[in-house]
PDB file of all heavy atoms in Angstrom:
ATOM      1  N   LEU A 179     -32.636  -1.354   2.134  1.00 97.00           N
ATOM      2  CA  LEU A 179     -33.758  -2.126   1.593  1.00 97.00           C
ATOM      3  C   LEU A 179     -34.655  -2.683   2.702  1.00 97.00           C
ATOM      4  O   LEU A 179     -35.861  -2.903   2.468  1.00 97.00           O
ATOM      5  CB  LEU A 179     -33.243  -3.272   0.723  1.00 97.00           C
ATOM      6  CG  LEU A 179     -32.412  -2.852  -0.503  1.00 97.00           C
ATOM      7  CD1 LEU A 179     -31.895  -4.099  -1.218  1.00 97.00           C
ATOM      8  CD2 LEU A 179     -33.244  -1.990  -1.437  1.00 97.00           C
ATOM      9  N   ILE A 182     -38.087  -0.967   3.519  1.00 98.00           N
ATOM     10  CA  ILE A 182     -39.197  -0.844   2.544  1.00 98.00           C
ATOM     11  C   ILE A 182     -40.562  -1.133   3.166  1.00 98.00           C
ATOM     12  O   ILE A 182     -41.504  -0.340   2.948  1.00 98.00           O
ATOM     13  CB  ILE A 182     -38.930  -1.771   1.324  1.00 98.00           C
ATOM     14  CG1 ILE A 182     -37.806  -1.193   0.475  1.00 98.00           C
ATOM     15  CG2 ILE A 182     -40.194  -1.952   0.495  1.00 98.00           C
ATOM     16  CD1 ILE A 182     -37.410  -2.060  -0.714  1.00 98.00           C
ATOM     17  N   GLU A 186     -43.438   1.742   3.139  1.00 97.00           N
ATOM     18  CA  GLU A 186     -44.714   1.557   2.435  1.00 97.00           C
ATOM     19  C   GLU A 186     -45.900   1.736   3.382  1.00 97.00           C
ATOM     20  O   GLU A 186     -46.919   2.333   3.019  1.00 97.00           O
ATOM     21  CB  GLU A 186     -44.728   0.163   1.801  1.00 97.00           C
ATOM     22  CG  GLU A 186     -43.797   0.028   0.620  1.00 97.00           C
ATOM     23  CD  GLU A 186     -43.860  -1.356   0.006  1.00 97.00           C
ATOM     24  OE1 GLU A 186     -44.163  -2.315   0.722  1.00 97.00           O
ATOM     25  OE2 GLU A 186     -43.608  -1.450  -1.230  1.00 97.00           O
ATOM     26  N   ALA A 222     -37.944   7.963  -2.086  1.00 98.00           N
ATOM     27  CA  ALA A 222     -37.065   6.994  -1.432  1.00 98.00           C
ATOM     28  C   ALA A 222     -37.438   5.572  -1.851  1.00 98.00           C
ATOM     29  O   ALA A 222     -36.576   4.741  -2.142  1.00 98.00           O
ATOM     30  CB  ALA A 222     -37.167   7.131   0.090  1.00 98.00           C
ATOM     31  N   LEU A 223     -38.725   5.279  -1.928  1.00 98.00           N
ATOM     32  CA  LEU A 223     -39.183   3.963  -2.359  1.00 98.00           C
ATOM     33  C   LEU A 223     -38.794   3.703  -3.808  1.00 98.00           C
ATOM     34  O   LEU A 223     -38.394   2.571  -4.165  1.00 98.00           O
ATOM     35  CB  LEU A 223     -40.699   3.836  -2.165  1.00 98.00           C
ATOM     36  CG  LEU A 223     -41.175   3.655  -0.728  1.00 98.00           C
ATOM     37  CD1 LEU A 223     -42.678   3.844  -0.626  1.00 98.00           C
ATOM     38  CD2 LEU A 223     -40.781   2.282  -0.198  1.00 98.00           C
ATOM     39  N   ARG A 224     -38.888   4.734  -4.628  1.00 97.00           N
ATOM     40  CA  ARG A 224     -38.494   4.565  -6.035  1.00 97.00           C
ATOM     41  C   ARG A 224     -37.013   4.173  -6.135  1.00 97.00           C
ATOM     42  O   ARG A 224     -36.632   3.276  -6.887  1.00 97.00           O
ATOM     43  CB  ARG A 224     -38.756   5.855  -6.801  1.00 97.00           C
ATOM     44  CG  ARG A 224     -38.475   5.758  -8.312  1.00 97.00           C
ATOM     45  CD  ARG A 224     -38.488   7.092  -8.977  1.00 97.00           C
ATOM     46  NE  ARG A 224     -37.358   7.919  -8.589  1.00 97.00           N
ATOM     47  CZ  ARG A 224     -36.117   7.771  -9.055  1.00 97.00           C
ATOM     48  NH1 ARG A 224     -35.849   6.824  -9.940  1.00 97.00           N
ATOM     49  NH2 ARG A 224     -35.156   8.566  -8.649  1.00 97.00           N
ATOM     50  N   LEU A 225     -36.168   4.866  -5.336  1.00 97.00           N
ATOM     51  CA  LEU A 225     -34.752   4.566  -5.341  1.00 97.00           C
ATOM     52  C   LEU A 225     -34.470   3.166  -4.831  1.00 97.00           C
ATOM     53  O   LEU A 225     -33.602   2.449  -5.358  1.00 97.00           O
ATOM     54  CB  LEU A 225     -34.001   5.592  -4.485  1.00 97.00           C
ATOM     55  CG  LEU A 225     -33.931   7.034  -5.043  1.00 97.00           C
ATOM     56  CD1 LEU A 225     -33.323   7.959  -4.002  1.00 97.00           C
ATOM     57  CD2 LEU A 225     -33.136   7.068  -6.329  1.00 97.00           C
ATOM     58  N   LEU A 226     -35.202   2.757  -3.795  1.00 97.00           N
ATOM     59  CA  LEU A 226     -34.975   1.427  -3.217  1.00 97.00           C
ATOM     60  C   LEU A 226     -35.413   0.312  -4.155  1.00 97.00           C
ATOM     61  O   LEU A 226     -34.846  -0.784  -4.145  1.00 97.00           O
ATOM     62  CB  LEU A 226     -35.700   1.315  -1.878  1.00 97.00           C
ATOM     63  CG  LEU A 226     -35.171   2.200  -0.757  1.00 97.00           C
ATOM     64  CD1 LEU A 226     -36.092   2.124   0.462  1.00 97.00           C
ATOM     65  CD2 LEU A 226     -33.746   1.807  -0.359  1.00 97.00           C
ATOM     66  N   TYR A 227     -36.420   0.579  -4.967  1.00 96.00           N
ATOM     67  CA  TYR A 227     -36.899  -0.421  -5.914  1.00 96.00           C
ATOM     68  C   TYR A 227     -36.143  -0.422  -7.239  1.00 96.00           C
ATOM     69  O   TYR A 227     -36.275  -1.326  -8.055  1.00 96.00           O
ATOM     70  CB  TYR A 227     -38.388  -0.219  -6.188  1.00 96.00           C
ATOM     71  CG  TYR A 227     -39.288  -0.837  -5.161  1.00 96.00           C
ATOM     72  CD1 TYR A 227     -40.211  -0.060  -4.467  1.00 96.00           C
ATOM     73  CD2 TYR A 227     -39.216  -2.192  -4.865  1.00 96.00           C
ATOM     74  CE1 TYR A 227     -41.050  -0.627  -3.505  1.00 96.00           C
ATOM     75  CE2 TYR A 227     -40.048  -2.766  -3.909  1.00 96.00           C
ATOM     76  CZ  TYR A 227     -40.972  -1.969  -3.257  1.00 96.00           C
ATOM     77  OH  TYR A 227     -41.784  -2.553  -2.299  1.00 96.00           O
ATOM     78  N   ALA A 228     -35.333   0.643  -7.442  1.00 94.00           N
ATOM     79  CA  ALA A 228     -34.595   0.750  -8.717  1.00 94.00           C
ATOM     80  C   ALA A 228     -33.606  -0.402  -8.848  1.00 94.00           C
ATOM     81  O   ALA A 228     -32.971  -0.787  -7.866  1.00 94.00           O
ATOM     82  CB  ALA A 228     -33.873   2.089  -8.779  1.00 94.00           C
ATOM     83  N   PRO A 229     -33.434  -0.940 -10.055  1.00 87.00           N
ATOM     84  CA  PRO A 229     -32.500  -2.050 -10.255  1.00 87.00           C
ATOM     85  C   PRO A 229     -31.046  -1.621 -10.047  1.00 87.00           C
ATOM     86  O   PRO A 229     -30.724  -0.475 -10.166  1.00 87.00           O
ATOM     87  CB  PRO A 229     -32.761  -2.465 -11.703  1.00 87.00           C
ATOM     88  CG  PRO A 229     -33.385  -1.265 -12.362  1.00 87.00           C
ATOM     89  CD  PRO A 229     -34.151  -0.551 -11.272  1.00 87.00           C
TER      90      PRO A 229
END
Side-chain angles (χ1 to χ4, degrees):
L179 299 177
I182 288 177
E186 289 181 331
L223 285 168
R224 185 191 69 78
L225 290 173
L226 293 173
Y227 277 123

